[in-house]
Amino acid sequence: MQQPEKDNNHIRIRVTVLLKREDGRICFVRHCKNGRRYWLLPGGGQDLFEPATTTAARELAEELRIGAESFRMLFVRESINPDAGRHIQFLVFEGVHPDFSTLATGEDERVEGYDFFNPDEIRDKEIFPAMKEDIIRFASGQPVELFKTLEWIP
């Protein structure tokens, strides 16, 4: 298959961490970007030559000032917008035994705050990317499909 010519011909990898409290609530960070506020799982872009679990640990420290004992791969999602030349893959890890004792808004200026939501509360939130149903399934103890392409949300 011949590839289209693009100025930005690469796939961005975003490492995402799903943190579940003992009461079953999932941790989200609230971002403000270009005047738009929304919720997403903590995480961020993987640097070249950086192992994904190192990215997960770095992003938790930057966004929430916390760590986790280890990370377990849960699933992979991707969003593609050929018209905008965007292709993002999301590696979603579970943060195993997170240490919430130092939880605070970190140094990432886009992060305005954080909160924990149960599956019913998650349904009512604006969450990016479009993996809300996957997060609800995980929070409810249901199996989650390993790989899926998500609808692009502008």
Side-chain angles (χ1 to χ4, degrees):
M1 177 177 163
Q2 186 174 358
Q3 296 294 316
E5 287 294 320
K6 298 282 182 193
D7 292 335
N8 186 4
N9 190 17
H10 70 277
I11 298 171
R12 178 172 187 257
I13 298 174
R14 185 177 192 279
V15 176
T16 302
V17 185
L18 213 157
L19 300 165
K20 189 174 184 179
R21 248 181 5 195
E22 288 182 18
D23 64 4
R25 291 174 172 264
I26 303 296
C27 183
F28 288 87
V29 293
R30 187 179 65 236
H31 270 217
C32 180
K33 189 173 179 181
N34 301 325
R36 187 175 185 183
R37 288 181 169 79
Y38 52 91
W39 295 96
L40 66 160
L41 297 173
Q46 183 178 16
D47 293 334
L48 187 64
F49 306 118
E50 180 180 47
T53 54
T54 301
T55 305
R58 176 176 53 77
E59 289 293 337
L60 286 183
E62 288 176 5
E63 293 187 356
L64 296 169
R65 301 188 190 277
I66 64 170
E69 187 177 288
S70 61
F71 299 94
R72 180 176 69 95
M73 174 58 86
L74 295 174
F75 53 88
V76 178
R77 297 294 177 261
E78 70 178 353
S79 290
I80 302 170
N81 181 343
D83 295 334
R86 302 285 312 274
H87 186 165
I88 305 172
Q89 290 189 336
F90 303 91
L91 308 181
V92 182
F93 289 88
E94 177 183 17
V96 179
H97 303 294
D99 177 8
F100 292 120
S101 66
T102 58
L103 182 64
T105 303
E107 60 193 55
D108 186 331
E109 59 192 36
R110 293 168 298 183
V111 177
E112 291 187 326
Y114 60 88
D115 208 341
F116 292 82
F117 303 121
N118 67 35
D120 289 333
E121 293 168 323
I122 292 170
R123 289 186 199 288
D124 298 329
K125 303 294 178 200
E126 185 174 23
I127 295 174
F128 293 114
M131 63 172 105
K132 186 185 296 191
E133 291 305 315
D134 298 313
I135 297 167
I136 291 170
R137 290 183 66 80
F138 176 83
S140 303
Q142 300 173 13
V144 179
E145 191 176 341
L146 182 60
F147 177 83
K148 194 187 310 182
T149 299
L150 304 171
E151 174 186 348
W152 183 269
I153 300 175

